[in-house]
Amino acid sequence: MATVLSVNLNKIALLRNSRGRNYPQVEHYARECLLAGAGGVTIHPRPDQRHATYQDVASLKAVVEEFPGKELNIEGNPVADFLEVVLKNKPDQCTLVPDQPDQLTSDHGWELTTQSKQVVPIVEQLKAAGIRVSLFMDPVIEQIELAKQVGADRIELYTEGYARAFQSGNYASVLEQYKQAADYATSIGLEVNAGHDLDLQNLAAFLTIPNIKEVSIGHALIVESIDQGFTNVIKQYLKIAQ
Ligand code: PXP
């Protein structure tokens, strides 16, 4: 089965918020992703709502419902406000991430040796609402075993380590670590997603790992979209300004 691409739209929301009006529209780009064949869209509303907002969850739920079979994934730290919005809007998947409010971006997975107690009732609540639950995890076997024990349906492997190694040109052993983590997860009945710093250069090698259900990609996808459109747009302005 092909790996599903879920496009993370946080950067579109960040651009929108920088001007205080609804441009660019997150909903428009969600439709573009889904029309282009992406299997889903993701947002990661943080407590300060500096990019995706809680209102975006409801808007995107409505957009994704226009496309049968496509999925909405909401990521975030399960603080009370986040959970309330997720339970109200019932996305297809909720990816729980242990990020702090002041973090620039997610930079570690759950440490379930100490955090299981916190996570178990949240997983139960989300699953009871019919939401598939994924946990953002480092590629560490002991932690992945605990992810199964707390009742997660999936894990999302945090791939920044892989992306950095790929960039250095020396990534075989790191990729093997991710493969072992993914294989172990699959062997104990967890499905496997992956995300963070994946891009057009490093994705193909990562997907030599079998059974990756979904990749969630945002930052690089937006930068690559700018790269591939920037010169073209400048030429159009210059034509007008001649
Ligand atoms: N997965 C999680 C949990 C994230 O926090 C992010 C970034 O918001 C991503 C995936 C996507 O990472 P990137 O923007 O680097 O593609």
Side-chain angles (χ1 to χ4, degrees), residues 8 44 46 75 97 105-106 136 156 195-197 216-219:
N8 181 313
H44 187 147
R46 291 195 159 80
E75 302 174 344
V97 184
T105 183
S106 320
F136 195 55
E156 178 182 322
H196 222 287
D197 290 303
S216 159
I217 306 183
H219 184 77

Side-chain angles (χ1 to χ4, degrees), residues 211-225:
N211 301 316
I212 303 292
K213 290 278 177 199
E214 176 180 293
V215 286
S216 159
I217 306 183
H219 184 77
L221 185 150
I222 300 299
V223 176
E224 289 155 350
S225 301

Side-chain angles (χ1 to χ4, degrees), residues 30-115:
R31 282 194 190 90
E32 291 290 300
C33 295
L34 300 176
L35 285 169
V41 291
T42 292
I43 52 170
H44 187 147
R46 291 195 159 80
D48 61 5
Q49 302 186 63
R50 63 183 184 263
H51 28 58
T53 65
Y54 290 138
Q55 176 53 42
D56 288 328
V57 177
S59 310
L60 288 181
K61 169 79 181 179
V63 171
V64 173
E65 278 178 348
E66 295 166 16
F67 295 84
K70 306 283 180 177
E71 291 202 347
L72 176 62
N73 174 44
I74 303 297
E75 302 174 344
N77 191 323
V79 296
D81 286 354
F82 174 91
L83 272 181
E84 191 185 320
V85 172
V86 169
L87 288 167
K88 187 166 163 213
N89 290 286
K90 296 195 173 37
D92 302 280
Q93 175 175 271
C94 181
T95 303
L96 304 179
V97 184
D99 58 347
Q100 297 305 311
D102 56 350
Q103 264 180 240
L104 268 184
T105 183
S106 320
D107 65 2
H108 59 279
W110 289 96
E111 218 303 346
L112 292 172
T113 320
T114 53
Q115 293 177 308

Side-chain angles (χ1 to χ4, degrees), residues 42-239:
T42 292
I43 52 170
H44 187 147
R46 291 195 159 80
D48 61 5
Q49 302 186 63
R50 63 183 184 263
H51 28 58
T53 65
Y54 290 138
Q55 176 53 42
D56 288 328
V57 177
S59 310
L60 288 181
K61 169 79 181 179
V63 171
V64 173
E65 278 178 348
E66 295 166 16
F67 295 84
K70 306 283 180 177
E71 291 202 347
L72 176 62
N73 174 44
I74 303 297
E75 302 174 344
N77 191 323
V79 296
D81 286 354
F82 174 91
L83 272 181
E84 191 185 320
V85 172
V86 169
L87 288 167
K88 187 166 163 213
N89 290 286
K90 296 195 173 37
D92 302 280
Q93 175 175 271
C94 181
T95 303
L96 304 179
V97 184
D99 58 347
Q100 297 305 311
D102 56 350
Q103 264 180 240
L104 268 184
T105 183
S106 320
D107 65 2
H108 59 279
W110 289 96
E111 218 303 346
L112 292 172
T113 320
T114 53
Q115 293 177 308
S116 279
K117 269 208 182 92
Q118 174 200 344
V119 171
V120 167
I122 295 167
V123 172
E124 276 172 4
Q125 214 179 352
L126 292 168
K127 285 176 71 171
I131 301 166
R132 188 171 72 231
V133 180
S134 181
L135 296 182
F136 195 55
M137 302 297 295
D138 296 304
V140 175
I141 302 288
E142 300 74 36
Q143 292 298 321
I144 291 171
E145 186 175 358
L146 292 173
K148 177 72 181 169
Q149 284 176 24
V150 302
D153 301 297
R154 290 193 184 187
I155 56 166
E156 178 182 322
L157 288 173
Y158 168 45
T159 47
E160 182 175 356
Y162 161 72
R164 293 287 152 265
F166 185 91
Q167 210 171 20
S168 78
N170 184 7
Y171 64 91
S173 64
V174 176
L175 183 61
E176 179 57 27
Q177 185 188 354
Y178 279 86
K179 181 181 182 305
Q180 283 181 15
D183 286 350
Y184 178 72
T186 304
S187 77
I188 59 171
L190 284 167
E191 294 184 314
V192 182
N193 297 342
H196 222 287
D197 290 303
L198 294 175
D199 63 21
L200 283 174
Q201 310 307 318
N202 64 29
L203 181 62
F206 189 80
L207 290 183
T208 58
I209 299 175
N211 301 316
I212 303 292
K213 290 278 177 199
E214 176 180 293
V215 286
S216 159
I217 306 183
H219 184 77
L221 185 150
I222 300 299
V223 176
E224 289 155 350
S225 301
I226 295 171
D227 283 347
Q228 294 191 24
F230 203 62
T231 309
N232 173 28
V233 171
I234 289 173
K235 284 182 181 159
Q236 291 182 52
Y237 276 101
L238 290 174
K239 219 167 170 183

